[in-house]
Amino acid sequence: MSRIAGQDLLLIHPPAAKPAEPPLGVAALLGHLRGLGFAAAALDANLEAYLYLLETSRLEGALGSSPSRALQRAVRHARASLDLLRSPEALRSFARYGTAVHHLNQALSVYGGDGGRERLTLGDYQHGELSEFSPADLERVAAGEISTLFAPYFREQVLPQLEVQRPRWVALSVNYRHQVLPAFELAGMIRRHLPDVGLVGGGGMFTSWKPFLHKSGQRFSCFDHIGFGPGESVLNTLLAGSSPAGAYELEDPAAIAFTPDYSFAPFSQYLSPVPVLPLSASRGCYWQKCLFCPEATSPTHPWATVEDASFVPWLLELSARYSTPFLHFSDNAMPPRLLRAMAARAEEMSALRWHGFVRFEKALLDADLVQALADGGCRLLQLGLESGSQAVLDRLGKGTRLADVSAILRNLQRAGIATYVYIMLGTPGETAADAEATLDFLEEHAEAVTFLNAAIMNLPRQSEILDRPADFGIEGSMLPTDSESLGLYETFQSSSGWGRKEARRFLQQRLLASPAVRAMVNRVPPLFTSSHAFLFC
C-alpha cells in the first residue's frame, strides 16, 4: 500500500484501467497543486485494486466449489505471471508474455459473481446489471444499493486510510468508461463514512457529459462539485476557498500543467516489463479539423504546449528523476515543431526510448528528420490512418494525402521506427469500394505497418458530422437515442446501404482473412496493446 499523506486534497485514480503505468493526469495535477503550496497527495487506486484482487490467497478464496481446470491453472500461475510481466524477462519471449497475460486475465474471472454478473480484465470492467451511462444506475451504486467487485478493496484499504488522514477534499479523476461505476461506488462510500470530506468528480468522462448535464440539470448526489476540462485552476480555486457560492459545475481552463509529480507511484509494481514514464508535451489537439472527433467542435482542453527550447532538457531531467529511459507521450498528437526540437538534439536523447501519437504530417516526409528521431530514441509512432480511401479521408477532414502516408511509412521503416496504425471501418458515407481500398493499402504497405488496430467507428455525439448528416451519407431520420443516457456515441443509418453491420462483416471475413493484415494484428500485445507494443519492436 502507498501511504496517503496530506490534509488539503487527495487525488484518486479509480479502477479499472490498464495497470501498465501511473496516471499522468493525476500526477500533473499533483505537481501543479504542490507547486502552489497546497498539501496534496495522490493514490493510484487502480493499481492497488488489481494487486489486491490478484493476491493468490484471495483468488483461491474466490474460486468457488467447482472451478474448471483452466481456471485453477490460471490461479495457480497468477503470482508467477505477475512477476514475469513486471520483469524484462517478459521481453525475451512474446509467447511467454502472452501466456502470462492470459493467466492473469483468466484468474480475474473468479470475481464474476453469480452467473458472471461482473467482468473484469486487465483494463476493462463491465457490470451486467448496471450501465455507466445511466444516471439512475450511478445513483444506485453510489447509494450502496448494489455493489461492485471492488467494494472489499475500498472498505478494507481505502476508507481506513481516509479515516486517518481526513483530507478536506477528495477528487476522483475518471477518464475511461470502465472507471465510472467503481468511482461512483467509492464516492458513495466516502460520502457515507466521511460526510465532512468534500468530493469532486473530474476527468474526461465528466467533461464528455457536460452537454447532457447542462441540458438536464442532473446532479450526482455523491459529489459536491463536478469539474469540466482542465482541473488545475478548478482545484486551486476550490482549495483556496474562492469557488462561486453554490456552484456545482466548475470550469476554468486558465492553467495547464505539464510537469508531473510521480512521488506516489511505485513504478516497479506496475504491470510492465520496464518502468514507463507517461508524459504529455501538449494538451488538446492542434489540428481540430477531423469532423468525427469531438475535439473539432467541443475540445476537452484548450490547445497548449511546452516551449521548444526547454522541451528536451525537461525530458532528460524527468527521465533522470524517475530513473527510467522509457517515455510514453500521451499527447493527442505531438506537434511537428516538438518533433523537430527532438531531432535537433538527437545525440542528447540517444539514451531514451520513447513512443507516442503523431499525425501523418508533411514534416515526416523529410527522411533526415525521421532518421534523427530514430537516433534520438524514437522506437514507435502511433498513427491514425483511418482509411485507405482518399475520398473517406477528405470527407472526414483528416487533412492527409495517401501518397504522403506511403512515403512517411517508407521513411519510418528505413529508420527502424515501428508503426502502430489505426483504421476505422463503417464511417459515414463509406462504401464497399472504400473498404476494399483500405485492405489494398494495408497489403501494399505490409512491411511498413508493424501493428494494426482495426475498429468499427463509433460516432461521438459531439461530432460535427451530426450537424449536417445528409452531407455524410446519413439518413435524415436518426435512430432514437435515449435522452436520459450519458452515452458518448450516436447511432446512425447509412443511406448507402453500407453500415456498421456490413463493415463488421468485412472486417471479419475480408480484412482479417488477409495473411498480411492478420500478421499486423497478431503482433499486437494482448490486452495491453499499444502500452507494451513499443517494447516488442
Side-chain angles (χ1 to χ4, degrees):
M1 283 293 293
S2 59
R3 180 177 177 271
I4 297 175
Q7 299 300 317
D8 286 331
L9 172 73
L10 174 66
L11 294 155
I12 297 181
H13 176 55
K18 294 176 185 177
E21 59 189 32
L24 172 59
V26 166
L29 288 173
L30 183 65
H32 176 75
L33 294 171
R34 283 181 168 174
L36 294 175
F38 293 110
L43 170 67
D44 190 347
N46 178 61
L47 173 65
E48 291 196 352
Y50 272 107
L51 298 183
Y52 172 93
L53 293 170
L54 286 171
E55 286 183 4
T56 301
S57 60
R58 196 163 282 114
L59 289 169
E60 290 173 344
L63 266 175
S65 57
S66 56
S68 68
R69 290 184 178 179
L71 186 55
Q72 292 181 66
R73 182 168 58 252
V75 168
R76 187 168 62 249
H77 290 288
R79 181 70 241 184
S81 297
L82 185 61
D83 290 342
L84 179 67
L85 283 187
R86 296 192 294 197
S87 165
E89 283 297 312
L91 303 179
R92 294 180 179 274
S93 169
F94 190 73
R96 284 189 67 204
Y97 165 91
T99 299
V101 171
H102 174 75
H103 281 325
L104 291 177
N105 215 47
Q106 189 166 29
L108 288 170
S109 69
V110 302
Y111 299 109
D114 296 335
R117 183 182 70 169
E118 297 176 86
R119 180 175 181 271
L120 175 66
T121 68
L122 292 169
D124 191 17
Y125 170 72
Q126 297 176 26
H127 196 296
E129 297 178 12
L130 298 170
S131 169
E132 61 269 31
F133 298 132
S134 166
D137 284 352
L138 298 184
E139 289 295 332
R140 287 176 65 202
V141 74
E145 296 175 12
I146 188 167
S147 64
T148 77
L149 57 83
F150 299 103
Y153 161 69
F154 294 149
R155 281 195 304 267
E156 295 173 21
Q157 298 201 15
V158 178
L159 290 180
Q161 294 185 71
L162 286 170
E163 287 172 355
V164 172
Q165 298 299 327
R166 296 276 176 164
R168 289 194 295 124
W169 290 94
V170 170
L172 278 77
S173 177
V174 184
N175 290 296
Y176 306 103
R177 58 180 293 176
H178 26 273
Q179 291 180 294
V180 173
L181 291 170
F184 272 75
E185 179 174 46
L186 177 57
M189 286 183 169
I190 296 172
R191 172 65 72 225
R192 290 190 297 276
H193 288 82
L194 298 166
D196 295 333
V197 173
L199 280 160
V200 187
M205 288 303 300
F206 285 100
T207 300
S208 70
W209 294 339
K210 177 180 172 181
F212 172 84
L213 296 177
H214 278 177
K215 182 178 180 180
S216 66
Q218 173 80 39
R219 288 195 174 202
F220 301 117
S221 61
C222 57
F223 289 105
D224 297 292
H225 299 285
I226 297 297
F228 297 136
E232 288 86 343
S233 292
V234 167
L235 292 175
N236 178 14
T237 301
L238 197 63
L239 295 179
S242 53
S243 294
Y248 177 69
E249 297 175 356
L250 304 175
E251 185 172 14
D252 184 355
I256 298 291
F258 291 105
T259 301
D261 181 340
Y262 285 116
S263 58
F264 67 95
F267 278 90
S268 63
Q269 296 300 301
Y270 288 90
L271 275 64
S272 175
V274 297
V276 177
L277 184 66
L279 298 172
S280 180
S282 63
R283 291 277 194 98
C285 177
Y286 68 87
W287 177 247
Q288 292 188 348
K289 295 178 183 178
C290 296
L291 299 184
F292 60 89
C293 180
E295 288 289 337
T297 54
S298 53
T300 302
H301 295 97
W303 167 246
T305 182
V306 300
E307 295 297 324
D308 297 17
S310 60
F311 180 46
V312 171
W314 179 70
L315 298 180
L316 296 172
E317 192 276 326
L318 288 172
S319 172
R321 182 190 304 177
Y322 295 106
S323 303
T324 179
F326 299 98
L327 311 182
H328 170 206
F329 292 107
S330 64
D331 309 53
N332 283 334
M334 295 190 69
R337 62 183 184 78
L338 292 185
L339 296 178
R340 293 189 181 97
M342 288 192 285
R345 304 178 71 165
E347 186 174 352
E348 295 173 70
M349 292 190 55
S350 61
L352 301 181
R353 300 291 179 266
W354 60 270
H355 72 291
F357 262 106
V358 297
R359 285 175 41 79
F360 280 103
E361 289 285 359
K362 288 187 179 296
L364 297 176
L365 292 171
D366 182 346
D368 292 336
L369 173 70
V370 172
Q371 185 60 57
L373 292 176
D375 294 342
C378 180
R379 289 298 171 263
L380 177 144
L381 290 178
Q382 296 164 263
L383 302 124
L385 170 61
E386 320 311 354
S387 176
S389 164
Q390 190 64 57
V392 170
L393 296 180
D394 294 344
R395 191 182 304 121
L396 296 178
K398 281 291 293 183
T400 51
R401 309 300 300 173
L402 286 175
D404 290 346
V405 172
S406 295
I408 290 168
L409 288 174
R410 287 196 296 271
N411 282 346
L412 295 171
Q413 182 187 11
R414 293 190 189 106
I417 297 175
T419 60
Y420 199 115
V421 173
Y422 297 76
I423 63 164
M424 294 188 304
L425 297 171
T427 58
E430 183 185 60
T431 65
D434 293 325
E436 289 288 351
T438 299
L439 172 57
D440 291 343
F441 187 90
L442 290 172
E443 290 183 329
E444 290 169 9
H445 299 82
E447 293 184 359
V449 177
T450 317
F451 306 97
L452 178 70
N453 179 289
I456 305 299
M457 182 190 192
N458 288 315
L459 183 60
R461 286 185 173 182
Q462 304 306 311
S463 167
E464 188 177 334
I465 288 174
L466 295 174
D467 294 337
R468 39 196 179 93
D471 293 348
F472 297 92
I474 296 176
E475 291 187 353
S477 56
M478 302 295 294
L479 293 177
T481 298
D482 182 2
S483 61
E484 300 301 315
S485 170
L486 296 164
L488 305 179
Y489 303 107
E490 189 67 71
T491 306
F492 65 92
Q493 290 178 317
S494 173
S495 59
S496 68
W498 176 270
R500 289 174 60 85
K501 182 177 68 174
E502 291 77 15
R504 185 171 287 106
R505 184 183 302 120
F506 180 88
L507 172 63
Q508 296 297 330
Q509 298 180 4
R510 292 281 293 126
L511 198 79
L512 296 180
S514 162
V517 172
R518 194 164 59 249
M520 304 171 197
V521 173
N522 288 344
R523 283 192 287 266
V524 174
L527 291 169
F528 288 100
T529 61
S530 60
S531 298
H532 286 175
F534 84 110
L535 300 172
F536 288 99
C537 298

